[in-house]
C-alpha cells in the first residue's frame, strides 16, 4: 500500500553481474559496485582491455590471411588469364559481410536512441525531484513568513485591543505561542535547505555528457554506413581507388568499433553491478554529499512500511498546534468579538491565514511524503538500469557485428580487388549494369585467347 | 510550486492539428477532437481514404507504365540480339529502390518500438493511478476500522472504568464523538469507491490491443524485408521464378503499405486533435464514466493553484478532530489515570491508535493530493502525445518510403526480368559471381552473331 511496485533488476543485470571479474594480477574481484576502489577500477579496465585484445587478434588474423593470400598463391598455369576460381565467392562474402554490417548499423541506431531515452528519463526524474525539493523549501518559507506576519500584525493588534480582559489576552498569547511553535516546527521540515547537492546540476551534467555521447555514436554509425555503401559501390563499379580508400576507412572503423566495444562492455558491466543493488550505494553517496540523516534518506530511498516517516512528529505537532490555534480563535470570536467589535477584523484575518496555512500544510505533507520522491528515484533507476543498459547491449551487438563484418570485408576486399580488370580495360566496360560489369573485360580476354 | 511542469503539445501536434479537415460532402469540419460526432468520423475516414486514393493512383501508374513498356517497345533492328540499352539502368533503379525500402524498414522498426514505448508509458501511468486510487480506498477503510474498533473497545472500557466521575466520562464521550466525526469525514474521502471505471481494466485493454498492433507491424516489416532481400537475390542470380514470385509479393506488400498508411494517417490526425487540448475531452469523458463531481476531476486533471483541494474541508475537520482527541486523551491521562489505574491501559492503547491514525492520515493527505495523480496523467499524455505520435509519424514515413520503393520495384522488375537470359542458357551461367552473371549468355549471343 505504501509505495507502488518500484525498480527490480532485470535478467540482463543479473547475468552481467554474475560474470567473474579480475584485477590486473588476475585475482578475483568481488562484483559489488565500488568505483572508488583500485581493484574494481582495474577489473573494469580489464574488461575494456579485452576489446583491445580482440582488436589485436583480428588485425593479426587479417594480416596473416592477406600475407598468405599474396605470397602463397598457387602459380597460375601459363596462358590462363581468367580469374582464379572462387572469385565470385569472395565478392559474395564481401557483400554478405556488408549487409551484416548494415544490419548492425540499424541495431546501433536503435541502441543509441534507447540509451539516450534511458538517460533522458534519468535526468527528467532528477529535474522532477529537484522541483519537489525546492517546492518544499519555498512552501515552508512561505508558511513561516505568513505565520510570522500574522504574529507581528494581527495577533499584536488583537492583544492591544483585548488588553482590558486578561483571560482573552491569555488566549491571544496562547495562539501566538502556538503559531510560533508551528513556525519553528515547519522550519525543521525544509530538510534540503543548504544542502550542497543540486539534482538540477546533476541532471544538467548528465544531459551534457549524454548529448556528446549520442552525437559521437551517430557520427560513428554514419561513418560506417558510408563505408558500407561506398564499398558496395566500389565493388559494383569495380573502381580500384574507391576500394582502396574504403579498405583504409574500414580499417579505421574497425579500430573505432573495437574501441567503442571496450567502452560499452566496461560501462555495461559497471552498470550491471550498480543496478543489481543500487540502494546501498546511492544511500551512502547521498549521505556523503548531502550530510542528511540516514533516517531521512532511508525514508525516501526505501519508502516501505518498515521505515517510518522522519517528519511524523514535527508534522503531528504542527497539526495539533494549528488545531489549537483554531480552537483559540473560535473562542476569541465567540467571547471577544461581541464585546470588542474592533477585534473582529484581526480575528477574521487570522482565521483566513489559518485556513490558507492548513491548505499549505496539506500540500507540504504531500510533498514531504516519500511517495513522490521515491517514484522519481524508481523512474531514474529504471531509465538507467533498463533502457540505458538495454541500449548499451544493443550498441555492444552493433560493435560486435560491425567488427566481424569489417574484418571479413578487410579480408575479402584485397582479394576482390585482385580480380578487377586492369584499369586500361576498365575504361571500356559497360559499368551501368551492376550485375554485368566484367563482360567486356572477359570478352577481350576471350578474344585475345582465340 | 503546485504541480511540476506537465504536458505541452509538441510542434507535430500543432502542425497536424492545423491541417484542414472535411467530411464526405467536403464541407470543412472543426478540428476539435470529437470521435462521437459523425462529421468528425467522416473527416478521419476521408484522411484514411486518401491512402486508398494513393494506392489506386500508384496501381494505375504502374499498369500504364508496364503496358506502355510491353506494347510500345521500339521494334528491334533485325539481328540485334543484345539487350536494349538502359537495361543496367533498370537494374540500378531496382536496387536503389530496394535500398530505400530497406532504410524504410529500419525507420519502421524504430517507429514501431517508439509507438509501443508510448503506449506502455500510458498503461504504466494508468496502473500507477490505479494503485494510488486503491491505496486511498484501503487506507480509508483501515483507518475507519481502526477508529471504530477503538470506539467499540477502549473507549467503552474507559467509560465503564470512569463511570463514577461524570466530567471524565464526558471527556471520554467527547473523544468518542470526535472519533466518530473523524471516521465519518474519512469515509467521504474514499471518492473512488464504487466508481465503475477501473484504470487497471483500461490499462489491460490498451496493452492487449497494443500487443497485437505491435505484432502485426513486426510481421509486415519482416515480410517487406524478406521481399527486399529475395528480390535482390532474384536479380543477382537472374532467377525468373523468384522475380515473378517477388513481383506478386511486392504488389501484396504495396497494398498493405498503403493500407497501413491510411490507418496511421487517420490515427495521427485524430491523436493530434486529441493532444492539442486533451484536458476538456478527458474531463468530460471521465465525468460521464465515473459520475464524480467536477470539483474533484478539475482538481486532479488541472492541479494548479487556481483549483482548490475539494477534500480540504474534510481533511481540516478530521485533523482538528484528531487534535481534539489528542488533547482529551492527554487530559484523561493527567486526571483519570492517577485515580483509576485500570484506565491506564485503554488510554495508552488509545494514544497508540491515535499515533498510528495520525501517521496514516498524513499518508492519506499525500495520496489525495493532486500531485501524484496529476503526474500520472501528465505521464500518460506524454506517452500518448509524444512517443506514440512520434512513432506513428515514423511508421507513416516507413509506409511512404516502402510504397514509393515498391512502386519503383514493380515498374522495374518486369523490365529487368525481360533482360534475363532464357532459362536454357541460364543453366550454363557461372552464377557464383553476383557481378558477372550474364557473361556466358552474352558470350553465346556474341558467338552466334559473328
Amino acid at each position: 500500500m505504501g509505495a507502488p511496485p518500484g525498480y527490480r533488476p532485470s535478467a540482463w543485470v543479473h547475468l552481467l553481474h554474475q560474470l567473474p571479474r579480475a584485477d590486473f594480477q588476475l585475482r578475483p574481484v568481488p562484483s559489488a559496485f565500488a568505483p572508488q576502489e583500485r581493484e574494481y577500477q582495474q577489473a573494469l579496465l580489464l574488461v575494456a582491455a579485452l576489446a583491445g585484445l580482440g582488436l589485436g587478434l583480428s588485425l593479426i588474423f587479417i594480416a596473416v590471411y592477406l600475407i598468405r593470400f599474396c605470397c602463397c598463391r598457387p602459380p597460375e598455369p601459363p596462358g590462363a588469364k581468367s580469374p582464379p576460381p572462387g572469385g565470385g565467392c569472395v565478392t559474395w562474402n564481401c557483400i554478405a559481410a556488408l549487409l551484416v554490417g548494415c544490419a548492425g548499423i540499424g541495431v546501433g541506431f536503435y541502441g543509441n536512441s534507447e540509451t539516450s531515452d534511458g538517460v533522458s528519463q534519468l535526468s527528467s526524474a532528477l529535474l522532477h525531484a529537484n522541483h519537489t525539493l525546492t517546492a518544499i523549501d519555498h512552501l515552508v518559507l512561505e508558511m513561516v513568513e505568513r505565520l510570522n506576519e500574522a504574529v507581528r500584525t494581527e495577533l499584536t493588534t488583537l492583544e492591544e485591543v483585548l488588553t482590558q480582559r486578561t483571560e482573552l489576552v491569555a488566549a491571544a498569547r496562547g495562539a501566538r505561542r502556538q503559531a510560533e511553535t508551528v513556525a519553528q516546527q515547519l522550519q525543521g521540515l525544509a530538510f534540503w535547505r543548504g544542502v550542497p547537492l543540486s539534482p538540477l546540476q546533476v541532471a544538467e551534467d548528465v544531459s551534457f555528457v549524454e548529448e556528446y555521447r549520442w552525437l559521437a555514436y551517430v557520427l560513428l554509425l554514419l561513418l560506417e554506413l558510408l563505408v558500407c555503401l561506398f564499398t558496395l559501390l566500389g565493388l559494383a563499379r569495380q573502381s580500384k581507388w574507391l576500394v582502396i580508400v574504403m579498405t583504409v576507412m574500414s580499417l579505421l572503423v574497425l579500430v573505432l568499433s573495437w574501441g567503442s566495444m571496450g567502452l560499452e562492455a566496461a560501462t555495461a558491466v559497471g552498470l550491471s553491478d550498480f543496478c543489481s543493488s543500487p540502494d546501498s550505494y546511492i544511500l551512502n553517496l547521498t549521505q556523503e554529499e548531502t550530510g542528511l540523516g540516514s533516517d531521512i534518506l532511508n525514508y525516501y530511498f526505501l519508502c516501505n512500511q518498515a521505515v517510518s516517516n522522519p517528519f511524523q512528529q514535527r508534522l503531528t505537532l504542527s497539526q495539533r498546534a494549528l488545531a489549537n490555534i483554531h480552537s483559540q480563535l473560535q473562542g476569541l470570536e465567540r467571547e471577544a468579538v461581541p464585546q470588542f467589535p474592533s477585534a473582529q477584523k484581526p480575528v477574521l484575518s487570522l482565521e483566513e491565514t489559518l485556513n490558507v496555512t492548513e491548505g499549505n500544510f496539506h500540500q507540504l505533507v504531500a510533498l514531504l511524503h516519500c511517495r513522490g520522491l521515491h517514484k522519481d528515484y524508481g523512474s531514474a533507476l529504471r531509465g538507467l538500469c533498463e533502457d540505458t543498459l538495454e541500449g548499451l547491449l544493443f550498441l555492444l551487438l552493433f560493435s560486435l557485428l560491425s567488427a566481424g563484418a569489417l574484418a571479413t570485408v578487410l579480408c575479402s576486399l584485397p582479394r576482390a580487388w585482385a580480380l578487377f580488370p586492369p584499369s586500361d580495360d576498365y575504361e571500356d566496360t559497360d559499368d551501368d549494369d551492376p550485375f554485368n560489369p566484367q563482360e567486356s573485360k572477359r570478352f577481350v580476354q576471350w578474344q585475345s585467347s582465340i
Side-chain angles (χ1 to χ4, degrees), chain A:
Chain A
M1 194 156 62
Y7 161 73
R8 295 271 171 288
S10 66
W12 282 113
V13 168
H14 286 304
L15 192 75
L16 287 171
H17 185 58
Q18 277 165 9
L19 294 180
R21 287 137 179 73
D23 64 3
F24 286 167
Q25 283 80 40
L26 297 182
R27 285 173 306 205
V29 170
S31 57
F33 186 63
Q36 68 288 354
E37 281 177 21
R38 185 169 291 277
E39 284 78 25
Y40 189 77
Q41 292 169 355
Q42 288 186 355
L44 290 189
L45 283 175
L46 207 66
V47 171
L50 283 181
L53 188 70
L55 172 64
L57 285 179
S58 67
L59 286 180
I60 291 171
F61 172 77
I62 293 166
V64 167
Y65 180 84
L66 290 181
I67 289 168
R68 199 175 140 271
F69 164 69
C70 290
C71 311
C72 315
R73 258 194 292 194
E76 289 182 19
K81 291 210 174 174
S82 68
C89 178
V90 165
T91 322
W92 269 120
N93 262 355
C94 203
I95 292 178
L98 288 172
L99 281 181
V100 169
C102 286
I105 292 169
V107 170
F109 271 109
Y110 182 76
N112 199 27
S113 138
E114 199 72 8
T115 307
S116 187
D117 277 1
V119 175
S120 73
Q121 193 175 334
L122 166 68
S123 55
S124 88
L126 281 170
L127 287 179
H128 196 262
N130 185 63
H131 187 274
T132 305
L133 292 170
T134 50
I136 291 174
D137 257 24
H138 286 152
L139 198 59
V140 166
L141 200 69
E142 187 193 320
M143 287 168 78
V144 168
E145 271 180 7
R146 193 186 295 272
L147 282 171
N148 285 342
E149 176 71 22
V151 166
R152 265 202 312 280
T153 56
E154 281 97 354
L155 275 173
T156 308
T157 315
L158 206 59
E159 283 175 33
E160 282 165 6
V161 169
L162 304 176
T163 189
Q164 298 162 359
R165 294 272 303 271
T166 47
E167 80 280 14
L168 294 180
V169 171
R173 291 228 170 106
R176 172 196 289 265
R177 264 198 311 279
Q178 299 287 354
E180 282 165 355
T181 307
V182 172
Q184 194 195 341
Q185 295 295 343
L186 287 179
Q187 274 176 331
L189 294 175
F191 68 97
W192 200 258
R193 186 172 297 161
V195 164
L197 181 73
S198 159
L200 181 68
Q201 187 59 44
V202 176
E204 280 173 0
D205 291 352
V206 165
S207 300
F208 180 79
V209 172
E210 168 59 18
E211 216 166 282
Y212 283 94
R213 189 207 61 75
W214 182 84
L215 190 66
Y217 264 101
V218 166
L219 290 179
L220 175 64
L221 288 162
L222 286 181
L223 178 68
E224 191 173 336
L225 188 64
L226 286 179
V227 167
C228 282
L229 291 182
F230 278 102
T231 309
L232 267 178
L233 190 71
L235 280 177
R237 299 182 70 98
Q238 304 207 331
S239 162
K240 281 193 180 184
W241 69 266
L242 194 55
V243 168
I244 292 174
V245 171
M246 284 307 127
T247 310
V248 176
M249 293 298 287
S250 299
L251 194 65
L252 173 69
V253 178
L254 181 74
V255 173
L256 289 178
S257 290
W258 279 104
S260 73
M261 199 192 304
L263 283 180
E264 288 146 12
T267 315
V269 166
L271 201 58
S272 78
D273 292 342
F274 169 74
C275 292
S276 68
S277 60
D279 290 343
S280 56
Y281 178 75
I282 286 277
L283 253 170
N284 286 337
L285 187 71
T286 319
Q287 196 154 19
E288 275 173 27
E289 293 283 328
T290 60
L292 286 176
S294 63
D295 54 341
I296 295 180
L297 294 178
N298 271 319
Y299 176 63
Y300 285 116
F301 283 117
L302 305 180
C303 192
N304 54 32
Q305 299 210 317
V307 187
S308 63
N309 185 341
F311 308 112
Q312 179 69 47
Q313 205 184 352
R314 281 185 186 274
L315 288 176
T316 307
L317 286 178
S318 309
Q319 179 181 318
R320 286 176 186 161
L322 285 174
N324 286 342
I325 297 175
H326 173 254
S327 60
Q328 272 155 343
L329 283 182
Q330 276 205 319
L332 281 175
E333 198 180 356
R334 214 169 38 238
E335 302 288 327
V337 172
Q339 292 179 30
F340 304 92
S342 57
Q344 189 173 19
K345 196 170 153 248
V347 166
L348 288 180
S349 164
L350 278 172
E351 279 180 348
E352 172 63 25
T353 303
L354 189 66
N355 276 339
V356 172
T357 305
E358 277 174 329
N360 284 345
F361 181 75
H362 291 152
Q363 196 174 346
L364 184 65
V365 169
L367 286 171
L368 279 174
H369 196 267
C370 66
R371 216 178 144 78
L373 282 171
H374 186 73
K375 200 185 165 199
D376 293 334
Y377 174 59
S379 158
L381 279 185
R382 272 196 302 279
L384 202 61
C385 296
E386 288 172 10
D387 290 355
T388 299
L389 188 66
E390 195 187 305
L392 273 176
L393 292 174
F394 274 111
L395 285 176
L396 204 62
L397 181 62
F398 146 70
S399 297
L400 266 174
L401 285 177
S402 77
L406 289 170
T408 314
V409 166
L410 280 172
C411 286
S412 313
L413 274 190
R415 291 193 63 184
W417 179 77
L419 296 175
F420 287 1
S423 51
D424 52 336
D425 289 346
Y426 174 66
E427 298 304 320
D428 302 328
T429 55
D430 168 21
D431 52 17
D432 262 340
D433 184 349
F435 293 125
N436 187 27
Q438 289 188 335
E439 177 201 4
S440 307
K441 173 206 145 203
R442 301 218 181 159
F443 179 23
V444 169
Q445 285 172 348
W446 182 84
Q447 261 188 314
S448 60
S449 69
I450 51 173

